Amino acid sequence: MSIEIKTASIEPVRATFANISRRFGEKAATRYQEATYDIQPEGNEHYRPLWDHDHEMVDASRTQIVMRDWYDLKDPRQYYYGAYVQQRAKMQEIAEGNYSFFDKRNLAELLTDDIKSRVIKYLVPLRHVEHTANLNNMFGCAYGFGTTLTQAFLYNGMDRLGMAQYLSRIGLLLDGNTGSALAEAKQAWMEDPMWQGLRALCESTLVVKDWFELFIAQNVVMDGLAAELFYRQFDQQLVAQGGQDIGMLTEFMREWEKDSNRWVDAVVKVTLAESDGNAQLLRSWTELWRSKVAEAYQPIADSILGSEGLNLCLAELDKRLTKLGLC
């Protein structure tokens, strides 16, 4: 007896969802497209929020920026939940290996008391800045418009919680898990005059109503200057003084900055090109917050790098702003 096996191919009636085909045509869509485009509800709003009668629950007018299509502000990394989690898992695995190596080899014992003190004084208090960045990005997620933006805000906000935890772990590694470094850093954040300008700046960002202005303030200006001051200039100073092992504990932050800047830069460039009105707004916000951030970071930069330290960091920030077209 012979058995003949036949196969039949069945063509699907539709290649993708209707909302995706309307944008990209009747063809197979990427996971990013299916998980991102036209997900946010528009129209047929149930009621205006009781705390804000001037806006709908989902309302593009919560910012002064105007876009013909908010979904033009796509994420070049194409992060939807699955891709984002996989990428961050890889980065976390490397970071955990670095922290484990630092701990198992007792590398903290090789650091001088002066280096430990400087790290606790200048680096560990940044965990409070990261918590502010979390709140600011979550605000963008809550009130922003277009899933391409709001989901990226969410991922950025969660990243900031992770970096706050890594900064806390640096303190614990240096104080032998007693928690004294965290207490010392918190006291400095609350009372040391050097930190009060930055603390006030963080508090002022929490009451900004325009979420796109907050995006510029936090993700462009504040993050740009902080990365240059703490994760490049201060890191180089530690290396010169024999504290190069601290670099493996902050490697996650440096790699994260490169990754985040791809999204931030893409959003800025598309928004600038949309209209002259957008360009004027973005440049005015950049100028305003650059001035505020420079004033807030002045005493910290002076303490770390000397009187010309802030100008050095601002020069690097201005290079990026100029490249983006923000100044």
Side-chain angles (χ1 to χ4, degrees):
M1 182 178 68
S2 63
I3 300 176
E4 184 179 355
I5 300 176
K6 293 184 177 181
T7 60
S9 60
I10 301 175
E11 293 292 331
V13 176
R14 298 166 65 181
T16 185
F17 299 105
N19 62 305
I20 303 300
S21 65
R22 283 194 293 269
R23 279 186 175 272
F24 304 104
E26 187 61 28
K27 59 183 180 181
T30 66
R31 292 288 182 88
Y32 175 72
Q33 291 171 340
E34 290 186 342
T36 302
Y37 283 89
D38 299 314
I39 300 298
Q40 176 179 276
E42 295 183 41
N44 301 318
E45 298 287 352
H46 183 50
Y47 57 83
R48 289 176 179 259
L50 297 177
W51 66 90
D52 186 1
H53 291 287
D54 296 330
H55 298 98
E56 300 284 358
M57 291 289 289
V58 180
D59 198 327
S61 67
R62 291 183 185 275
T63 177
Q64 297 179 65
I65 295 296
V66 178
M67 297 290 296
R68 287 185 293 272
D69 183 1
W70 283 95
Y71 285 93
D72 287 342
L73 303 179
K74 62 183 179 181
D75 185 349
R77 305 167 300 179
Q78 298 203 3
Y79 280 171
Y80 62 96
Y81 182 76
Y84 164 74
V85 170
Q86 291 176 9
Q87 177 63 19
R88 287 297 177 267
K90 293 177 183 177
M91 292 177 64
Q92 184 180 15
E93 184 178 1
I94 295 172
E96 290 297 328
N98 290 342
Y99 277 75
S100 177
F101 182 87
F102 189 95
D103 188 28
K104 288 181 178 180
R105 297 298 182 94
N106 293 318
L107 298 183
E109 300 299 322
L110 302 179
L111 301 175
T112 65
D113 290 340
D114 179 63
I115 289 178
K116 290 181 183 178
S117 177
R118 288 175 63 79
V119 171
I120 294 171
K121 181 179 180 180
Y122 296 122
L123 210 56
V124 179
L126 287 180
R127 65 197 187 109
H128 301 288
V129 180
E130 294 297 339
H131 279 293
T132 300
N134 164 260
L135 293 173
N136 288 338
N137 278 278
M138 296 307 290
F139 182 85
C141 175
Y143 296 107
F145 199 85
T147 314
T148 48
L149 266 179
T150 56
Q151 71 173 354
F153 273 124
L154 175 62
Y155 302 149
N156 191 292
M158 297 309 297
D159 288 339
R160 311 315 283 266
L161 285 183
M163 287 191 285
Q165 292 173 351
Y166 279 135
L167 290 165
S168 299
R169 288 176 64 180
I170 291 174
L172 293 173
L173 284 170
L174 297 183
D175 68 14
N177 287 314
T178 64
S180 61
L182 304 187
E184 181 182 339
K186 182 178 180 180
Q187 184 177 9
W189 176 254
M190 298 293 291
E191 300 176 6
D192 191 328
M194 178 181 69
W195 288 100
Q196 298 317 297
L198 181 54
R199 183 180 166 209
L201 176 70
C202 288
E203 292 176 355
S204 68
T205 63
L206 297 177
V207 294
V208 174
K209 296 299 184 182
D210 191 310
W211 58 267
F212 213 115
E213 179 183 357
L214 189 58
F215 168 79
I216 293 295
Q218 177 66 66
N219 295 338
V220 177
V221 184
M222 290 179 67
D223 288 353
L225 187 59
E228 181 63 32
L229 174 58
F230 296 104
Y231 299 124
R232 280 190 280 277
Q233 300 298 330
F234 182 49
D235 179 73
Q236 292 175 14
Q237 189 181 88
L238 290 176
V239 170
Q241 297 172 352
Q244 61 271 11
D245 290 336
I246 295 296
M248 72 172 65
L249 304 180
T250 57
E251 182 65 15
F252 181 95
M253 291 73 155
R254 286 188 292 274
E255 291 301 312
W256 175 89
E257 183 211 4
K258 297 176 185 177
D259 183 74
S260 177
N261 283 351
R262 291 180 59 202
W263 164 61
V264 172
D265 292 358
V267 170
V268 169
K269 289 178 180 178
V270 174
T271 308
L272 274 170
E274 178 75 10
S275 68
D276 292 338
N278 283 356
Q280 184 177 356
L281 273 173
L282 293 182
R283 288 169 184 147
S284 64
W285 286 338
T286 301
E287 182 180 1
L288 170 66
W289 286 100
R290 182 192 177 282
S291 175
K292 291 184 176 182
V293 170
E295 182 180 357
Y297 273 99
Q298 181 78 63
I300 305 171
D302 288 349
S303 182
I304 296 176
L305 302 173
S307 59
E308 291 301 314
L310 181 65
N311 290 334
L312 177 64
C313 296
L314 286 174
E316 293 301 316
L317 174 63
D318 288 343
K319 288 180 183 178
R320 181 180 173 217
L321 298 179
T322 301
K323 185 177 180 181
L324 289 174
L326 289 173
C327 65

